[in-house]
Amino acid sequence: MSDCVFCKIIAGQIPSEKVYEDEEFIVIKDIRPVAPTHLLAIYKKHVPTINDLELEDSKKMWRLFEVIKTVTKQRNIESYRIVQNNGKDSGQEVPHIHFHIIAGRRLGALG
Ligand code: 5GP
Ligand code: ZN
């Protein structure tokens, strides 16, 4: 997707602070962190939301939890929150599937 910010980051056309990369995911620092640690695990394939995932993605998406475990372990993070938005009312700003990894402060209740 030529006008997608995250596709451009994955392609190296927009700079980012990369903390991890493999064949399926890239993990970068969020440009507007809401906590001392705020990372984005971005699926490399341009899929807008969870509703757009297909069966063939399951083979690649299963890696997500290993990616989260790896980057949190690297940073000695024991307590963290995963946030994933789908659609405008959820607060999704970038329609390219990604998972926020938020840590480093006491987080309030969801709502
Ligand atoms: P969403 O609201 O779609 O769930 O999350 C998008 C996130 O991407 C936001 O937290 C926003 O700060 C972050 N973001 C948007 N543009 C950029 C960018 O160019 N670079 C980085 N590192 N983060 C971005
Ligand atoms: Zn994209």
Side-chain angles (χ1 to χ4, degrees):
M1 289 286 287
S2 55
D3 60 346
C4 172
V5 168
F6 288 171
C7 281
K8 286 183 178 166
I9 285 174
I10 290 160
Q13 292 161 2
I14 291 178
S16 66
E17 274 196 72
K18 198 191 320 178
V19 303
Y20 175 91
E21 183 167 15
D22 66 21
E23 281 185 14
E24 330 296 355
F25 285 92
I26 184 172
V27 182
I28 63 168
K29 292 189 181 178
D30 197 294
I31 205 166
R32 279 181 273 120
V34 299
T37 296
H38 188 167
L39 306 174
L40 301 171
I42 305 172
Y43 187 38
K44 283 193 171 175
K45 181 175 163 191
H46 182 89
V47 175
T49 71
I50 280 180
N51 290 359
D52 302 301
L53 286 169
E54 295 172 342
L55 199 54
E56 65 167 45
D57 296 306
S58 63
K59 291 179 193 154
K60 297 177 174 180
M61 283 293 296
W62 74 270
R63 290 267 320 140
L64 174 67
F65 296 107
E66 287 301 323
V67 171
I68 291 169
K69 278 162 63 176
T70 299
V71 297
T72 52
K73 263 186 199 156
Q74 275 171 356
R75 289 161 181 270
N76 293 316
I77 294 168
E78 288 178 9
S79 186
Y80 59 90
R81 180 176 287 172
I82 301 298
V83 174
Q84 196 277 322
N85 296 316
N86 298 276
K88 279 201 176 119
D89 281 353
S90 74
Q92 187 178 21
E93 178 193 321
V94 182
H96 178 133
I97 200 165
H98 58 280
F99 299 78
H100 299 252
I101 303 168
I102 299 168
R105 68 170 170 84
R106 190 76 177 241
L107 299 168
L110 295 174

